[in-house]
Amino acid sequence: MRKQHYIINKFFSNLLTVVFFIVLVSSFQNVLAQTKTVAQWIALAKTGQKNLKGANFTGADLQNIDLNSVDLSKANLTGANFTNANLSKAKLEQCNLTGVNFTNANLTKADFLATNMVYVNLKNANLTQALLQEANLSYAILNGANLTSANLILADLSNADLWNATLTNAIISYDATVTATSSTTYEGT
């Protein structure tokens, strides 16, 4: 009986040690992710790495980069330059994209759910079927952007420039879609 009790205690002790080690390693990986420099994140992106969650690309020059299907969830891209970049099917949920330049970028089917996009430049960007639900697009430049079939439900478009933006079949509320092309500046409240 004592031997069984000893074996059970030893088992649970080892199990707790393993669980503690797993939690410790996971926490250490999170710390390492936060300590990478912008240059290290850029190098990872250029290798084709698809998991860039929590990355810091603040002020990075990523013109013409191909980041198709990359996961940038919760990343900080403040002031980064993605001119002519391919971010089709990219996951950008809950990112900080303040002041990012996406001029002429391919953002087809990109996921911007609940993302901060204040002052973002999306001039002539392709946002066909993009998920922009709950995104903050205040003061965004969407001049000439293609938002065909994009989901804009609960998106904040206050003071956004939508001059010549294509909004055909864009979903703007739970019960409405836009069926014509916009040629005026949206001046929301």
Side-chain angles (χ1 to χ4, degrees):
M1 183 71 166
R2 277 190 160 178
K3 188 173 184 177
Q4 289 175 339
H5 189 334
Y6 172 77
I7 292 171
I8 291 171
N9 281 343
K10 189 70 170 167
F11 171 77
F12 282 111
S13 175
N14 288 340
L15 181 62
L16 284 173
T17 302
V18 169
V19 169
F20 175 75
F21 181 72
I22 290 170
V23 170
L24 184 65
V25 168
S26 176
S27 297
F28 185 67
Q29 286 175 336
N30 288 338
V31 169
L32 284 178
Q34 294 170 357
T35 60
K36 284 187 180 107
T37 66
V38 173
Q40 289 170 323
W41 281 113
I42 292 170
L44 272 175
K46 288 182 176 179
T47 65
Q49 175 73 19
K50 297 297 183 190
N51 183 359
L52 299 172
K53 290 181 185 177
N56 180 9
F57 287 106
T58 302
D61 186 358
L62 295 161
Q63 294 182 66
N64 302 305
I65 195 164
D66 185 357
L67 295 175
N68 182 28
S69 301
V70 72
D71 187 350
L72 287 162
S73 300
K74 299 182 180 178
N76 185 357
L77 293 96
T78 304
N81 185 357
F82 287 95
T83 299
N84 297 313
N86 178 13
L87 287 115
S88 60
K89 299 179 185 175
K91 188 173 183 178
L92 296 135
E93 290 182 6
Q94 300 175 6
C95 285
N96 186 353
L97 301 177
T98 303
V100 171
N101 185 357
F102 285 117
T103 301
N104 296 315
N106 180 2
L107 300 162
T108 304
K109 296 184 180 180
D111 180 352
F112 295 97
L113 181 66
T115 295
N116 182 8
M117 300 175 78
V118 176
Y119 297 106
V120 71
N121 184 351
L122 292 156
K123 185 175 183 177
N124 297 318
N126 185 354
L127 291 144
T128 301
Q129 295 182 346
L131 177 60
L132 294 154
Q133 188 168 336
E134 299 179 35
N136 184 353
L137 288 152
S138 300
Y139 300 95
I141 299 168
L142 291 147
N143 195 325
N146 182 355
L147 292 150
T148 300
S149 300
N151 180 338
L152 294 158
I153 294 174
L154 300 175
D156 182 354
L157 291 162
S158 57
N159 298 301
D161 178 0
L162 287 157
W163 183 260
N164 287 326
T166 302
L167 294 162
T168 305
N169 295 321
I171 305 164
I172 57 172
S173 70
Y174 288 107
D175 57 353
T177 59
V178 178
T179 56
T181 302
S182 170
S183 61
T184 60
T185 303
Y186 175 84
E187 295 179 13
T189 55

